[in-house]
Every structure is written in structure tokens, then in C-alpha cells.
Amino acid sequence: MTEKNVQELSREELLGLLADQETEIQNLKTELTAAQEEKRKRYKKKYWSTLRSTIATLVVVAAVAVLVAVLLLPVLRIYGTSMTDTLNNGDIVVSVKGTEVQTGDIIAFYYNNKILVKRVIASAGDWVDIDEDGTVSVNGEVLDEPYVTEKALGECDIDLPYQVPEGRVFVMGDHREVSLDSRSSSVGCVAEEEIVGKLIFRVWPLGAFGWIS
């Protein structure tokens, strides 16, 4: 529309054109608002869907982790000093269930509603003997025990030599002087069904992170 055509329009026509423009602008605003609202609803719907999916995934992962920790790989914290210097108070370790334990393995087992950690010294049928100075022999052969820093007879009230009963293992702590273990009749040998698992890995402290031997 040229300047001349505008000048030729009456006042009423100009007001009508302005009203039409205002209506069109208002319609555009309404459409834009509706589009923004629809976009917001879609985003909100997608957000909650993603959040629910994420939470569901985390719950499943946590449940699997708990099942693995309880059924296959129990995580344990060490209390006390009966296994020093191999394991120290406050260490966090991972054990594994369902594996056959052998002489030299470190195991966790139930005792009086507690979990104790000791080293397997002998298996069912083996004869264990301990000298006054703490030297341990199994079936007449002296054990090579590099994990023991100080030998000691410790709290021992069993008759030596001692034969390990069927279905049980004879255990001792590496800190022989303070450890309460199979040398004491109050603890005795550990039944296979009482074993929680074999300790295989230390995860804390980070400076000692690694396999347990």
C-alpha cells in the first residue's frame, strides 16, 4: 500500500486496519503461547519419563548389587587386631562364597552372632601340633608361615596333637598372641556351613588396595 493510498483512506478505515492488525498480533501471541505451553508439557512429560526410567534403573542396579554382595561377594569390615599384620582394624575387604577353602586361605565365619576372620591352618582329618614357642606343624610337617611376624602358643587349651573333625577346618589368627581361635575350646574348629566366604580382595584403605594373601 503506497503513501497516497494510505492518505486516501478514511479515519474509520484506518482504525479498522489497525484493529485487524491488533487482532492478528493477538492471534499470533495466542498461538505462540499455546506452542510454548505444548512444548513445556512435552518437556515435562519427557523429563518425568526420563526421571522414572533413571530411578527404575538405579533401583535395579542397587538391588543387583545388594544381591551380589549378600549372595556371592559379601563385603566385610575388619575389627580388632587378631589378623595383623595381614589385615588391620578398619580394613574393608571383599569375600567370595561357594569356593572350596584350602590351607592358607583367610576365611570369615559365624561365631556367636558375630563374624570372625581367621586363616585356615588345617582341614578335616589333619593332625595339628603347636610347640611351646608357637611353631605349628600339620601332619608332622612344620608350616611355612611368612604371614606371622611373632609366634606364640596363645590361648590354647586343647589337647595336642589335635585331629580336625570331619566337615570342619582348624583356623588361627595371624597375630598369634592375641587371637582367639581354634586353639581355644570356646571357639573350636569351624564347620563348613558356618563359613561366610573366603577373603580375596581389600578395597580400603586405598594404599593397601589389592589381593589378599
Side-chain angles (χ1 to χ4, degrees), residues 76-80 82-83 87 93 95 106-119 171-173 179-182 186-188 190 194-199:
L76 307 171
R77 182 170 187 148
I78 303 300
Y79 291 96
S82 69
M83 284 299 293
L87 298 172
V93 298
S95 60
I106 300 176
I107 62 170
F109 59 93
Y110 293 109
Y111 170 73
N112 284 352
N113 297 320
K114 297 185 295 183
I115 294 180
L116 301 184
V117 173
K118 308 292 179 182
R119 190 182 296 272
V171 298
M172 296 172 66
S179 177
L180 185 64
D181 45 46
S182 295
S186 63
V187 177
V190 180
E194 295 173 340
I195 297 175
V196 176
K198 179 169 67 174
L199 275 59

Side-chain angles (χ1 to χ4, degrees), residues 73-79 86-95 117 199-206 208-212:
L73 300 170
V75 178
L76 307 171
R77 182 170 187 148
I78 303 300
Y79 291 96
T86 305
L87 298 172
N88 299 299
N89 185 53
D91 286 359
I92 297 177
V93 298
V94 176
S95 60
V117 173
L199 275 59
I200 58 171
F201 207 83
R202 175 167 27 204
V203 296
W204 185 264
L206 292 180
F209 185 89
W211 299 102
I212 297 172

Side-chain angles (χ1 to χ4, degrees), residues 47-65:
Y47 170 80
W48 286 112
S49 176
T50 302
L51 182 61
R52 285 194 297 269
S53 177
T54 301
I55 292 175
T57 301
L58 291 175
V59 169
V60 171
V61 170
V64 171

Side-chain angles (χ1 to χ4, degrees), residues 143-213:
L143 289 186
D144 180 22
E145 299 187 288
Y147 41 80
V148 175
T149 54
E150 292 185 15
K151 295 181 179 181
L153 180 60
E155 188 171 332
C156 181
D157 62 0
I158 60 175
D159 293 330
L160 297 171
Y162 176 88
Q163 187 174 31
V164 183
E166 191 66 31
R168 296 177 178 269
V169 292
F170 191 97
V171 298
M172 296 172 66
D174 289 355
H175 192 178
R176 296 291 161 79
E177 188 174 359
V178 302
S179 177
L180 185 64
D181 45 46
S182 295
R183 293 172 293 177
S184 170
S185 57
S186 63
V187 177
C189 292
V190 180
E192 294 175 355
E193 60 269 18
E194 295 173 340
I195 297 175
V196 176
K198 179 169 67 174
L199 275 59
I200 58 171
F201 207 83
R202 175 167 27 204
V203 296
W204 185 264
L206 292 180
F209 185 89
W211 299 102
I212 297 172
S213 60

Side-chain angles (χ1 to χ4, degrees), residues 124-158:
D126 290 340
W127 285 90
V128 179
D129 199 5
I130 308 172
D131 293 345
E132 289 295 329
D133 64 357
T135 299
V136 180
S137 299
V138 175
N139 298 326
E141 294 186 8
V142 175
L143 289 186
D144 180 22
E145 299 187 288
Y147 41 80
V148 175
T149 54
E150 292 185 15
K151 295 181 179 181
L153 180 60
E155 188 171 332
C156 181
D157 62 0
I158 60 175

